[in-house]
Amino acid sequence: DAKTTQPTSMDCAEGRAANLPCNHSTISGNEYVYWYRQIHSQGPQYIIHGLKNNETNEMASLIITEDRKSSTLILPHATLRDTAVYYCIVRSGVGTRPNFGNEKLTFGTGTRLTIIP
Amino acid sequence: DTGVSQNPRHKITKRGQNVTFRCDPISEHNRLYWYRQTLGQGPEFLTYFQNEAQLEKSRLLSDRFSAERPKGSFSTLEIQRTEQGDSAMYLCASSFTGSGANVLTFGAGSRLTVL
């Protein structure tokens, strides 16, 4: 799986949009970008994933650059409960199906996001 | 559906003792994963099962570690002759491959402290 690079830590004011960058310059054509977060003393929680198009769900938006070498996770209105470590992961699949191929998620050290009241 | 359940949540043991952790995945999930996490690090993959078959094991999974999923439902992770370096959070996750995204749902983890 491609290596990802994320800032070690970030702060964001409560109520503002939190933009978390991720570089994955060696990503290959069949690799998806996944984001998980881990709140203190809990297991990681899935947020969103995408291949090349921007994605949005009830938790966040994922913006992937056209060359797919980087992406940004956006939490539109950050709350104190969004304080967590955020992991950007690229993961291979076969064709357009991410459920085959390399099955494990390989976590880095992530970005520690702190929401400031 | 109560999510992924792990027991015990905390275990303190003396070096050299054996410990066993149990994971109950989401009932319809056919994949089950074990990860280990030490302080300040991201989770590290240990092994995963599809139904009862163990399909991949990390080199981190030494001979002292064994994982089973005998009936394709719950799984156990046993550590024999524990060492202080085994102190970590042991995370279990499950997923359903028929969903397309194979999103992993994690449990809260079992924290092991080896004295």
Side-chain angles (χ1 to χ4, degrees):
Chain A
D1 287 342
K3 181 180 174 65
T4 62
T5 304
Q6 298 178 252
T8 303
S9 63
M10 294 180 63
D11 293 338
C12 178
E14 187 179 16
R16 303 297 294 270
N19 297 282
L20 291 92
C22 179
N23 287 318
H24 30 79
S25 58
T26 59
I27 193 170
S28 60
N30 69 343
E31 288 183 316
Y32 286 68
V33 180
Y34 285 75
W35 283 84
Y36 282 72
R37 73 179 182 184
Q38 188 171 24
I39 296 169
H40 183 63
S41 297
Q42 297 182 21
Q45 175 192 23
Y46 167 81
I47 302 173
I48 199 167
H49 76 282
L51 181 63
K52 55 184 178 181
N53 298 320
N54 298 338
E55 302 288 345
T56 296
N57 64 19
E58 65 278 5
M59 290 183 68
S61 295
L62 174 61
I63 309 298
I64 302 174
T65 58
E66 191 170 345
D67 63 7
R68 304 208 324 122
K69 293 185 177 181
S70 65
S71 60
T72 301
L73 178 74
I74 301 172
L75 308 177
H77 305 287
T79 71
L80 298 178
R81 289 178 294 180
D82 293 322
T83 292
V85 178
Y86 286 77
Y87 297 99
C88 170
I89 301 163
V90 293
R91 181 185 188 199
S92 64
V94 175
T96 59
R97 301 183 66 185
N99 52 317
F100 296 111
N102 188 337
E103 304 303 340
K104 62 182 181 289
L105 293 176
T106 301
F107 290 81
T109 52
T111 295
R112 182 172 298 278
L113 176 67
T114 302
I115 306 302
I116 310 296
Chain B
D1 180 5
T2 57
V4 177
S5 177
Q6 294 189 244
N7 289 288
R9 292 292 314 279
H10 303 275
K11 179 71 176 178
I12 299 173
T13 191
K14 293 183 179 180
R15 188 177 54 186
Q17 298 295 304
N18 299 343
V19 297
T20 299
F21 300 114
R22 174 178 171 125
C23 173
D24 288 273
I26 293 172
S27 57
E28 64 268 24
H29 284 186
N30 57 345
R31 290 238 174 103
L32 187 147
Y33 301 76
W34 285 100
Y35 282 79
R36 180 177 72 184
Q37 186 172 26
T38 54
L39 196 62
Q41 301 298 312
E44 297 172 294
F45 170 79
L46 292 178
T47 188
Y48 91 96
F49 294 83
Q50 177 151 326
N51 300 314
E52 65 275 9
Q54 188 172 16
L55 296 187
E56 186 173 350
K57 293 194 293 185
S58 164
R59 282 171 288 182
L60 293 175
L61 212 65
S62 75
D63 292 346
R64 297 184 298 104
F65 287 70
S66 63
E68 294 182 343
R69 194 183 184 199
K71 297 182 180 179
S73 57
F74 73 92
S75 175
T76 57
L77 177 68
E78 182 183 17
I79 308 173
Q80 297 182 324
R81 305 181 303 281
T82 53
E83 302 173 356
Q84 288 184 325
D86 297 332
S87 295
M89 175 75 81
Y90 290 86
L91 293 161
C92 176
S94 68
S95 69
F96 175 60
T97 54
S99 68
N102 195 20
V103 169
L104 273 62
T105 301
F106 283 83
S110 293
R111 180 168 295 284
L112 173 65
T113 301
V114 182
L115 302 177

